[in-house]
Amino acid sequence: YRVAAKFAFLPVEKRFMAAPFEGQIAEVLIEPGAVVTEGQPLVKLQTYTLEQQLSQATANRAEADAKRQEALANPGQDGRSRIAEAEIYRFQVEAADAQIRDLQWKIDNATIKAPFAGQVLQGDLKYKINAPVKQGDPLLEIGKRDKLCGELKVAERDIQDVKVGQKGNLRTSAQPGDKYPFTVENVVPKPNAVEGTNKFIIYATLDSASQQWYPGQEGEARIDVRPEPLIWQWTHRLIEFVRLKLWV
């Protein structure tokens, strides 16, 4: 007896790429589905305003530091020390240094790069050039292609028969003639409404894989449950339906 389910491939490792600071999208270098290499630029945020602010902060620092040095080197007309005045300029220099570090960090991190080689799963930003973003806004999702798992959607009526450790086989829609084994790794104890019916999500470890697979690719899976006579397999759905409706 086997439980049938639709499945899709998911990357075992994936990561959301978020906006590192509040700004505007300047350039989008990839599209959803693109295969990327580690460190490849994906999205650039505007830096023109940041560069202007950095130039002004650098000038302010130089001016404050020059005044501090002048206050330390030259006493007032009455010969008294200008240490207090120099301290004020020192605070201005430190504030400018902090602003410079913040602006330089933003400029250095304005180009969002791929954290690893993989595939862009989500994030169609090509129509969002010059759109504002807030710090932490999700922009892209990247997933590794070299290690995938199976996400199975099992009908509510079959979930009680599925257990961790059970074996099964799957066939992709693109390669229906090839069968690949898997092992049930996790059963999520919460139903999801799919096409008007409750489905439970099952995650499976793939015992073998194909280089032609992609995240999001779909197909059909069969989970090996237990041996049952053919007559039981042909009739148990009807018997269960009658029992439920007639309360017997």
Side-chain angles (χ1 to χ4, degrees):
Y1 169 54
R2 297 180 177 89
V3 168
K6 293 185 179 298
F7 82 90
F9 289 133
L10 295 179
V12 173
E13 184 177 352
K14 56 184 178 180
R15 189 178 303 176
F16 282 99
M17 309 304 296
F21 54 85
E22 185 173 349
Q24 289 180 296
I25 296 176
E27 192 174 0
V28 178
L29 305 172
I30 44 79
E31 295 184 354
V35 177
V36 298
T37 58
E38 183 178 355
Q40 179 177 336
L42 307 174
V43 181
K44 292 183 179 180
L45 301 185
Q46 294 281 6
T47 60
Y48 176 74
T49 301
L50 296 173
E51 289 166 356
Q52 285 186 316
Q53 293 173 346
L54 178 61
S55 178
Q56 184 61 55
T58 303
N60 291 343
R61 186 203 185 281
E63 181 181 358
D65 189 51
K67 290 181 177 180
R68 186 181 75 88
Q69 296 292 345
E70 193 274 333
L72 291 174
N74 300 299
Q77 293 181 352
D78 57 0
R80 298 177 60 183
S81 173
R82 298 169 61 191
I83 292 179
E85 183 180 350
E87 280 295 290
I88 293 174
Y89 292 128
R90 183 177 68 82
F91 290 140
Q92 292 179 2
V93 169
E94 291 176 351
D97 283 339
Q99 185 181 15
I100 289 170
R101 286 193 298 270
D102 178 63
L103 291 168
Q104 190 62 61
W105 181 89
K106 289 179 179 179
I107 292 171
D108 293 342
N109 290 274
T111 299
I112 300 170
K113 300 178 181 180
F116 45 68
Q119 186 173 11
V120 180
L121 306 178
Q122 296 182 40
D124 190 356
L125 303 174
K126 59 185 177 181
Y127 300 114
K128 295 185 178 181
I129 303 298
N130 295 324
V133 293
K134 295 181 179 180
Q135 182 178 358
D137 281 353
L139 300 178
L140 299 166
E141 184 182 21
I142 308 293
K144 284 191 174 182
R145 293 182 58 198
D146 57 353
K147 190 173 183 181
L148 303 175
C149 68
E151 182 188 64
L152 284 63
K153 295 180 174 65
V154 176
E156 185 176 17
R157 66 187 182 187
D158 294 321
I159 192 60
Q160 71 278 356
D161 292 323
V162 179
K163 304 291 187 295
V164 172
Q166 288 175 332
K167 300 291 185 178
N169 291 281
L170 58 83
R171 299 175 189 263
T172 64
S173 299
Q175 298 172 294
D178 297 332
K179 186 166 61 175
Y180 295 89
F182 66 83
T183 303
V184 175
E185 180 181 11
N186 187 27
V187 178
V188 180
K190 181 181 179 181
N192 292 270
V194 179
E195 298 177 352
T197 60
N198 279 341
K199 301 284 187 179
F200 283 78
I201 302 299
I202 308 298
Y203 292 104
T205 301
L206 306 173
D207 299 342
S208 61
S210 169
Q211 294 297 323
Q212 298 178 342
W213 289 350
Y214 291 88
Q217 195 171 357
E218 298 180 337
E220 298 281 341
R222 297 291 184 273
I223 303 172
D224 298 329
V225 176
R226 60 182 180 273
E228 291 286 358
L230 286 178
I231 186 64
W232 180 90
Q233 297 185 40
W234 292 337
T235 61
H236 78 284
R237 297 291 184 210
L238 177 60
I239 294 173
E240 290 170 356
F241 176 80
V242 172
R243 285 179 175 175
L244 182 61
K245 293 302 180 182
L246 300 182
W247 206 253
V248 294

